[in-house]
């Protein structure tokens, strides 16, 4: 019996080695972490799961402008839609997801900054957003930060967006909630007067069916956020491929369709500089 057990163990070890050799060698499953720009089994892409109009997961369905742009870019890299594995990419985890090869690309309202470029590379930008205000559709009294004196303004706890406005307009009554969804509900009910964050995020909420015709983006941005595609630092070949795909999307009208389909219901129009000129991999 001892020799039989030894033989079985040896056979199992050989089988394990065979399976390992046939599988991924990127340490994370699939082909997303390797170079595979087309021809791989799958590609893992990070998005937000909780931003209507941008990156939203409902059951097994993924929707939003970031999702549509990511799907297009993946297609240009040689991956079909069913080869994309969507990975949740919360803001605080994005750099780690890239560095540890848990994702190949990130499309998640990922603003390009010098600080972030120390850890990751960016392709793009594919969109220029800006901080703005969301108000009720029948409220014409709020036209920008200068008109917020004495008004109640909502943003999420610890948001730099809210702090920026409070510094500029000391007379604003800042109310911080845990999520943007709570702020939007309070705005609709009249409990607050305005909500502030990136205009794309605001438009995404305003475009939701339950708020149709009730909310509007003021359209007076007072910052610039250059959304880029995050990828492994130093991967210049992939960076250029992604940038080329973004340019193609601008040229064939698919980018504008993605914006209109996801944010247009809120009457949102992209601000100055859109579509941008990708320059991160020039």
């Amino acid at each position: 019996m001892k020799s039989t057990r030894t033989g079985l163990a040896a056979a199992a070890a050989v089988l394990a080695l065979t399976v390992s050799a046939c599988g991924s060698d990127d340490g994370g499953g699939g082909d997303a972490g390797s170079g595979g720009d087309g021809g791989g089994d799958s590609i893992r892409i990070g998005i937000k799961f909780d931003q209507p109009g941008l990156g939203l997961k409902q059951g097994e369905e993924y929707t939003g402008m970031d999702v549509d742009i990511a799907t297009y870019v993946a297609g240009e890299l040689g991956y079909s839609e069913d080869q994309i594995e969507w990975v949740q990419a919360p803001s605080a985890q994005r750099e780690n997801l890239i560095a540890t090869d848990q994702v190949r690309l990130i499309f998640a309202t990922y603003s390009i900054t010098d600080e972030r470029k120390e850890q990751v590379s960016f392709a793009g930008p594919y969109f220029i957003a800006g901080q703005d205000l969301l108000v009720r559709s029948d409220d014409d009294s709020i036209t920008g930060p200068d008109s917020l004196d004495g008004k109640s303004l909502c943003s999420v706890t610890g948001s730099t967006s809210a702090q920026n406005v409070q510094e500029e307009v000391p007379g604003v009554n800042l109310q911080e909630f845990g999520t943007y969804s709570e702020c939007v509900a309070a705005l609709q009910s009249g409990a607050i007067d305005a909500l502030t964050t990136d205009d794309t995020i605001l438009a995404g909420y305003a475009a939701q069916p339950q708020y149709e015709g009730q909310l509007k983006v003021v359209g007076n941005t007072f910052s610039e956020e250059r959304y880029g595609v995050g990828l492994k630092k130093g991967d210049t070949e992939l960076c250029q491929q992604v940038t080329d795909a973004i340019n193609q999307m601008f040229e064939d009208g698919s980018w504008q369709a993605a914006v209109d389909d996801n944010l247009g219901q809120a009457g949102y129009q992209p601000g100055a500089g859109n579509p941008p000129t990708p320059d991160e991999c020039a």
Side-chain angles (χ1 to χ4, degrees):
M1 291 297 293
K2 181 177 180 182
S3 61
T4 301
R5 287 196 297 269
T6 303
L8 289 174
V14 171
L15 178 60
L17 287 171
T18 303
V19 171
S20 175
C22 293
S24 169
D25 62 357
D26 63 15
D31 291 332
S34 62
D37 301 325
D41 292 336
S42 65
I43 182 170
R44 289 191 298 272
I45 299 179
I47 58 169
K48 294 292 180 64
F49 278 12
D50 59 353
Q51 287 187 343
L54 294 165
L56 183 67
K57 181 180 187 291
Q58 295 178 300
E60 295 304 313
E61 182 180 10
Y62 300 87
T63 59
M65 183 184 75
D66 280 346
V67 174
D68 288 351
I69 294 175
T71 300
Y72 183 100
V73 170
E76 291 296 300
L77 295 177
Y79 296 94
S80 62
E81 189 171 351
D82 61 5
Q83 289 179 298
I84 300 172
E85 180 183 345
W86 302 109
V87 177
Q88 187 173 18
S91 295
Q93 298 178 23
R94 290 177 296 202
E95 288 79 25
N96 183 62
L97 288 170
I98 293 170
T100 57
D101 293 324
Q102 295 181 62
V103 297
R104 182 69 167 152
L105 303 170
I106 287 185
F107 296 74
T109 59
Y110 203 1
S111 296
I112 301 171
T113 68
D114 290 339
E115 181 180 4
R116 288 170 177 162
K117 284 195 289 185
E118 293 178 1
Q119 301 182 63
V120 302
S121 289
F122 284 100
Y126 63 86
F127 199 92
I128 305 295
Q131 188 175 341
D132 210 324
L133 300 167
L134 186 69
V135 299
R136 289 181 291 278
S137 295
D138 59 358
D139 186 351
D140 295 323
S141 67
I142 298 177
T143 57
D146 293 344
S147 56
L148 285 173
D149 192 30
K151 302 285 188 177
S152 56
L153 174 70
C154 186
S155 197
V156 297
T157 303
S159 165
T160 56
S161 299
Q163 294 168 6
N164 291 341
V165 174
Q166 192 171 40
E167 289 173 3
E168 186 173 336
V169 187
V172 70
N173 176 22
L174 179 62
Q175 297 187 32
E176 295 181 295
F177 289 4
T179 66
Y180 287 119
S181 297
E182 294 175 89
C183 286
V184 174
L187 176 61
Q188 182 199 33
S189 70
I192 61 164
D193 298 312
L195 162 61
T196 187
T197 187
D198 290 1
D199 56 353
T200 50
I201 298 173
L202 299 176
Y205 278 108
Q208 295 303 287
Q210 66 267 37
Y211 300 123
E212 185 175 359
Q214 301 179 54
L215 305 174
K216 66 180 180 182
V217 181
V218 169
N220 183 9
T221 57
F222 44 97
S223 73
E224 181 178 280
E225 304 294 336
R226 302 167 71 240
Y227 291 168
V229 183
L231 50 93
K232 198 70 170 284
K233 185 170 178 62
D235 193 342
T236 55
E237 181 179 359
L238 178 60
C239 191
Q240 190 60 57
Q241 290 173 339
V242 173
T243 294
D244 290 345
I246 292 169
N247 274 314
Q248 179 63 34
M249 195 174 191
F250 292 156
E251 293 171 7
D252 67 18
S254 299
W255 177 87
Q256 187 63 56
V259 175
D260 293 342
D261 290 347
N262 292 288
L263 304 177
Q265 297 92 325
Y268 175 78
Q269 294 295 325
N274 284 300
T277 301
D279 58 8
E280 287 300 312
C281 295

